[in-house]
Amino acid sequence: MPGVAEPVIKLVRRTTEPVGAQTLRSTGAAVIAYAVATATLSQPAPLTAPLTALLVVQVTLYATLTTGIRRVNSVIVGVLIASGFSSLVGLSWWSLGLTIFTSLIIGRLVRVNEFVPEVAISAMLVLGVAQVADTAWERIFETLIGAGVGLLFNLLFAPPVWVQSAGASIDGLAREMGDLFRDLGGDLGGRVTVEDAAERLHRARRLDHDIVEVDASLQQAEESLMYNPRVRQGLLHRVVLRTGLDTLEICAVVVRVLSRTLTDLAKDRVDEPLFPAEVAAHITELFEQMAGAIESFSVLITTPVAASAEEAEERLADALIASRTTRDRVADMLLAAVQEHPRKWQLHGALLAEVDRILDELDIEKRAERLGQELDRRAADLHERHPRLLAFRRRLGLVKAAGREKRAEVEVR
């Protein structure tokens, strides 16, 4: 069965940065950190510095910042715990166990997340040496050197953005939905078996799993845009992609319900066509137009160039107009058909309601309104978290009006 699951999974797992480039970046940061630590510290082999640099240099600059801070915190906390225990007790099985237990508990309290075990590891390494006080400070300095080199390395050699990979995932999802629409409308004028209808319903349900994979790719792209010096208007890109995927997710849910409606019709009309030939032809045309609208919507939200985006918006507008015109024609035909054959009339109404919901979600004006609301919401959240930054910008006269305050503050992020 054709589907988007495997291609999307491959896109999520595939890095947009060549493996060789990432290897060179990690190796370079580790070597520089070791050289700096050797030149500034008295330790004969300050391996903590290159180890920290190697782990801090992550795929995205945002991950580097957040990971580096948590890693440094975990090491410092572990060193301080070991220093405290060394001044009270020596190294024995029970003191080692008590150190590990205390480190794991305190590590969770200071919220170093995935680096909780490193608190205990740092404490053990420092507790096992003779001159704990000197080694403790040396280890802290090594960690700071490694984290600093890793951070500077990513600032000077900024990681790439992952928008292209996320856009390809979103486009793959939209094309799968378009293909499903075309298949749903392919044989409505003939006898559709329950097995065929159920198979398409299964494909529609698989879209939920595909969305999970696309969401993972999008989260990676959002992180790559945050704090990246290569990117201007990073928030706008993130909001466009996120709200676009939210729209496609709603459409996927409605497509699943629509597939269920057609499956129920197939169960009820085993020995007859689902619709009269003329009605079926117009529904097929409608589904083809809606497939084009979904694909045009995907191009619109994943196209960064203004000229190409305007062209995609025009195609989407044309597809929506054609879809609504055909939808009205189908509604009149279904009404006439129901008056002649009232059996299962509610499924006809459900079919039209599901079509209306998808067209409403893809509406250009509604999308613009949703984008504005999301930008305002994120701006308000930023104001609440950083009120001093807002006050500072007001004193500098960088914020002129209430409406522009939010947009200006958002762009700081």
Side-chain angles (χ1 to χ4, degrees):
M1 181 179 63
V4 75
E6 285 303 319
V8 169
I9 291 174
K10 291 179 181 178
L11 282 169
V12 172
R13 293 176 179 173
R14 183 186 306 156
T15 172
T16 56
E17 184 177 20
V19 175
Q22 177 62 28
T23 302
L24 290 175
R25 290 170 51 200
S26 300
T27 303
V31 170
I32 293 174
Y34 180 80
V36 173
T38 302
T40 56
L41 302 176
S42 60
Q43 287 283 88
L47 295 178
T48 304
L51 174 63
T52 305
L54 184 65
L55 296 174
V56 166
V57 178
Q58 301 295 321
V59 177
T60 66
L61 184 60
Y62 174 78
T64 298
L65 289 169
T66 55
T67 300
I69 293 173
R70 293 199 301 271
R71 183 171 295 280
V72 170
N73 286 342
S74 66
V75 173
I76 292 176
V77 171
V79 169
L80 293 176
I81 292 174
S83 299
F85 272 92
S86 67
S87 62
L88 299 176
V89 296
L91 178 61
S92 62
W93 67 267
W94 64 268
S95 63
L96 177 63
L98 185 59
T99 300
I100 294 174
F101 179 80
T102 304
S103 299
L104 294 176
I105 295 297
I106 295 179
R108 297 189 181 278
L109 293 177
V110 297
R111 298 180 181 179
V112 293
N113 298 340
E114 70 270 28
F115 299 125
V116 169
E118 191 158 322
V119 178
I121 293 172
S122 300
M124 285 190 295
L125 292 177
V126 175
L127 190 63
V129 300
Q131 296 178 342
V132 175
D134 295 338
T135 304
W137 285 110
E138 290 285 345
R139 183 167 172 79
I140 290 176
F141 289 145
E142 287 180 36
T143 303
L144 293 175
I145 289 173
V149 170
L151 176 59
L152 289 175
F153 207 84
N154 260 5
L155 287 174
L156 296 175
F157 305 98
V161 295
W162 293 56
V163 175
Q164 184 177 2
S165 176
S169 299
I170 292 174
D171 186 65
L173 174 65
R175 292 189 181 281
E176 171 61 13
M177 293 173 62
D179 292 341
L180 180 57
F181 257 116
R182 294 183 180 95
D183 290 344
L184 288 173
D187 52 3
L188 295 178
R191 191 176 70 86
V192 178
T193 65
V194 177
E195 291 76 15
D196 290 341
E199 188 270 341
R200 290 163 186 164
L201 176 59
H202 180 66
R203 282 181 59 189
R205 288 171 174 166
R206 282 188 59 189
L207 292 174
D208 292 340
H209 302 285
D210 300 335
I211 287 173
V212 173
E213 303 296 338
V214 178
D215 183 71
S217 179
L218 180 54
Q219 287 181 9
Q220 192 174 54
E222 289 175 326
E223 283 193 3
S224 71
L225 291 169
M226 296 178 66
Y227 310 132
N228 196 315
R230 291 184 181 184
V231 179
R232 301 181 65 182
Q233 296 183 336
L235 175 63
L236 182 59
H237 288 302
R238 299 203 307 271
V239 172
V240 167
L241 291 174
R242 175 56 62 185
T243 56
L245 180 58
D246 291 343
T247 297
L248 290 178
E249 184 175 1
I250 295 173
C251 291
V253 173
V254 181
V255 169
R256 185 175 70 242
V257 178
L258 188 150
S259 301
R260 183 69 199 186
T261 299
L262 293 176
T263 302
D264 291 341
L265 278 172
K267 291 178 180 179
D268 183 70
R269 301 172 182 178
V270 176
D271 299 323
E272 58 182 310
L274 292 189
F275 301 99
E278 186 179 4
V279 177
H282 282 85
I283 295 179
T284 300
E285 180 184 4
L286 173 60
F287 285 179
E288 175 67 32
Q289 292 166 344
M290 293 179 66
I294 290 176
E295 292 168 353
S296 296
F297 178 83
S298 172
V299 173
L300 174 62
I301 64 176
T302 58
T303 302
V305 182
S308 300
E310 290 179 2
E311 182 180 349
E313 184 173 329
E314 291 177 1
R315 289 200 301 269
L316 175 58
D318 293 340
L320 290 175
I321 292 173
S323 298
R324 291 190 174 102
T325 301
T326 307
R327 181 265 177 210
D328 293 339
R329 190 178 303 117
V330 168
D332 294 336
M333 291 181 173
L334 287 178
L335 179 60
V338 165
Q339 291 173 346
E340 296 181 7
H341 305 286
R343 184 162 51 98
K344 295 295 181 181
W345 58 268
Q346 69 274 18
L347 293 178
H348 292 180
L351 178 66
L352 293 174
E354 290 144 12
V355 168
D356 288 341
R357 179 62 187 275
I358 293 177
L359 295 179
D360 181 63
E361 288 297 327
L362 298 176
D363 185 74
I364 295 176
E365 292 184 0
K366 182 174 181 178
R367 168 158 179 76
E369 180 181 356
R370 182 179 298 171
L371 278 174
Q373 292 174 350
E374 183 63 16
L375 286 171
D376 289 343
R377 184 189 67 80
R378 297 201 181 196
D381 292 342
L382 186 61
H383 292 168
E384 294 178 0
R385 292 197 303 268
H386 305 286
R388 294 181 180 178
L389 176 62
L390 175 60
F392 178 73
R393 289 178 62 85
R394 281 176 174 168
R395 285 196 298 269
L396 293 179
L398 298 177
V399 179
K400 299 296 184 181
R404 293 188 329 204
E405 274 182 7
K406 296 180 179 179
R407 303 301 172 91
E409 288 299 316
V410 165
E411 291 303 322
V412 173
R413 185 70 177 271

